[in-house]
Amino acid sequence: MANKFQSIETKHYAERDAFFEGLKKLDRRAFMRVAGISAGIVAGMGKLTPNSFQLVNVAEAQGEKPKFSFAYISDTHLYENKLNDRFVRAILKAVDDVNALDPQPDFVLFGGDLAQLGQAGELKLGAQILKSVKAPIKMMVGEHDWFLDMGELWKDLFGAPNYSFDHKGVHFVVLNSIHEKDFWTERKLSPMERMKIVAGLDNGIQSRFEVGAEQRQWLQNDLAKVAKTTPVIVFSHSPLYKYYKPWNFWTDDADEVQAILKPYEKVTVIHGHTHQLLSNRIGNISFHGMLSTAWPWPYAPEGLPSLTVPMNRADPFSQFDGCGDGRMDVLESGLVDKLYNLWQRDPITVRSAYLGSGGKQSAPPKPKLPTY
């Protein structure tokens, strides 16, 4: 059955494929004439060769074949289509990206913040669009999905916000890391007032994110069944370290969570929320951020992890620049190579060898322009 939801980009590529099929019918002289005209137009516009999500599998190119791969889509921040279709177009582009991967990923992680204000129309629209993804979906909640009704609709649509599963010898844990201390009851705030304060990111009324004591105990109990040599991959919307507190790029009990993960030999944390290419290593734990399909946040004025090779400043006049989706290649060792599929740019891979060596090996390319 044809996909009901198709992005403008996918329709464009279909038209482009039809165009190239037509070129096959040209004789050599006519083809060279068309090619010359096209090259001149492209050069005059300053355009580059189109980038691809899967032109090069970096791990395989270096002789280290992944054990398996999974893709991600994150931080879509959907409004209802009648209010704002820009972010809808972006998630459709990401769905097209992951559906075009060949081979298909074992599953697709959704990294949180499906909605902008947690409203029913936003969440249900996102749930409907994600049904178009070919691979199985693993859902993770973000603060924009949660604080209107404290996650009631999310749980109805997608189930428990924290859970674990095993896949091909790796133990996966999904956390709800966006709990906050109650700032709303005493102030007699409405649900939407509470939601808008949390959505403001740097609003000083709200507390910082936390996993919370109850969930930390759940994590400890869950991992008690796992051998210390088993690779562990944790999905968390907020970064499980302390990056920049004024913007809530922060998890208050990150140190306690890291202590629970410390006994395990190979641990990788994949997080959303920051909308950036972001890399970190603390002890035995590697951290990778996820791109957003909606917009890129600027890098914080302080606290940026030293292993992060920041991406170039985004073009403010381009909807897609600095945004994207991506793929994780889980290696035979249980470590993770992270591919950032930056729309309108070349993809960037941050390899496990880079983080494990403290930046001495396999460094990703440095930006050619100022970061932001």
Side-chain angles (χ1 to χ4, degrees), residues 232 234 240-241 254-255 257-270 280-288 307 335 355-356:
V232 175
V234 179
L240 289 181
Y241 56 91
D255 296 343
V257 176
Q258 290 172 25
I260 296 171
L261 298 172
K262 186 175 181 180
Y264 297 85
E265 292 179 7
K266 297 168 183 175
V267 182
T268 304
V269 175
I270 310 293
N280 199 6
R281 175 89 175 184
I282 300 174
N284 63 315
I285 308 173
S286 297
F287 300 84
H288 297 280
L307 287 174
L335 300 174
L355 296 181

Side-chain angles (χ1 to χ4, degrees), residues 39-51:
I41 292 172
V42 168
M45 294 174 66
K47 298 294 184 182
L48 300 175
T49 303
N51 301 316

